[in-house]
Amino acid sequence: MTDSPITLISGGNAGLGLATAKRLTKEHNHHVIIGSRNAEAGAEVAAELQAEGHSASTVQLDLESDASIAAAAKTIEEKFGRLDALINNAGVLLDTTDPPLPIRTLYTRTFSVNVFGTACLTEAVEPLLRKSSNPVIVFVSSRMGSLVLSTDSSTLWYKIDYTAYDASKAAVAMLAINWNRRLEDIGARVNVVCPGLVKTNLAGGVGAVQYGVEPYEGAKRVVELATLGKDGPTKTWSATDGDIPW
């Protein structure tokens, strides 16, 4: 058990998730639980943070496996008895694969991780969030899921043709709205964040290497919303440069 806030980050072993974990441990004294599909990769990250004097552990977490999700939730319950923050970070962008995936495969695989897996994980740890005195959920999303921006022909987001990814991120916004409603009774803060274009493997297909920010910078708004106090905002969608329309 620990008095520090306990935060689970899906996809926490690389990219934006790893940067978020580092900022939370080093700047906010959170105990971060690295959710990693590859157990060894998660263990390496946790060991690195521990060696630097920070509080971290790991769980094997595959969003396409109900057994993995259930085992991760059980491990957190047994070790900590609660969860203070859930950062739904893990996701895939498959619209740019070469050769292109068949349309049904593209949508099935994209939604399996980005929507179905995210919903299953949130459902599994909801009882642990209810045991927190300051529960927070952050859904990492993208402006490309905004219905307002995607229907405005003057915006960049209108022109980018990532149909499966866009649709999945619009669905993630609805997940956030629903969990905000479900957890209203305990005063949880549930928000959506767009980290912007970040230099990660996920975003490589949209010019991230040339135009994106470093993951540590991209994690800024995620960390801000993961560390909200009880009087913080809820049911918002934002980036570092301001609010995003639904």
Side-chain angles (χ1 to χ4, degrees):
M1 296 290 273
T2 176
D3 292 332
S4 298
I6 300 165
T7 299
L8 171 63
I9 308 172
S10 65
N13 61 291
L16 183 73
L18 175 57
T20 300
K22 289 181 176 180
R23 293 193 74 144
L24 285 173
T25 56
K26 297 176 180 181
E27 299 171 10
H28 299 277
N29 196 36
H30 277 223
H31 175 90
V32 294
I33 305 171
I34 305 297
S36 175
R37 186 172 58 180
N38 183 315
E40 291 184 1
E44 288 178 6
V45 169
E48 176 187 333
L49 290 170
Q50 291 165 4
E52 296 174 358
H54 304 297
S55 185
S57 58
T58 185
V59 290
Q60 194 280 330
L61 183 58
D62 181 352
L63 292 188
E64 294 187 279
S65 167
D66 289 341
S68 173
I69 291 171
K74 182 178 180 181
T75 296
I76 296 169
E77 181 178 22
E78 292 175 346
K79 286 187 176 181
F80 304 104
R82 74 179 196 279
L83 186 65
D84 299 302
L86 168 63
I87 301 177
N88 282 312
N89 166 73
V92 296
L93 193 167
L94 303 176
D95 294 81
T96 59
T97 57
D98 186 17
L101 294 171
I103 188 68
R104 184 175 295 277
T105 302
L106 170 63
Y107 274 81
T108 298
R109 288 179 56 185
T110 299
F111 271 70
S112 179
V113 176
N114 293 2
V115 183
F116 307 153
T118 295
C120 289
L121 175 60
T122 308
E123 177 86 14
V125 301
E126 181 179 327
L128 297 173
L129 288 164
R130 288 186 169 277
K131 295 180 180 180
S132 171
S133 62
N134 187 31
V136 173
I137 304 177
V138 178
F139 288 85
V140 178
S141 187
S142 167
R143 296 173 195 264
M144 290 190 287
S146 164
L147 298 184
V148 173
L149 295 179
S150 296
T151 53
D152 182 350
S153 61
S154 69
T155 69
L156 170 65
W157 322 111
Y158 180 84
K159 302 175 178 67
I160 297 177
D161 189 29
Y162 293 155
T163 60
Y165 182 78
D166 293 358
S168 74
K169 290 305 183 180
V172 165
M174 184 55 72
L175 292 182
I177 290 170
N178 282 331
W179 256 283
N180 182 84
R181 172 181 50 78
R182 287 174 61 161
L183 296 177
E184 265 184 333
D185 61 317
I186 59 171
R189 268 81 60 235
V190 182
N191 294 289
V192 185
V193 176
C194 173
L197 190 58
V198 182
K199 294 180 181 179
T200 68
N201 291 334
L202 173 72
V206 287
V209 173
Q210 183 175 2
Y211 301 109
V213 300
E214 294 297 332
Y216 205 83
E217 182 181 347
K220 181 178 184 292
R221 186 58 179 162
V222 180
V223 170
E224 287 174 352
L225 290 179
T227 55
L228 288 175
K230 294 180 180 181
D231 59 347
T234 191
K235 202 164 56 178
T236 70
W237 190 343
S238 64
T240 53
D241 59 353
D243 291 339
I244 294 172
W246 297 88

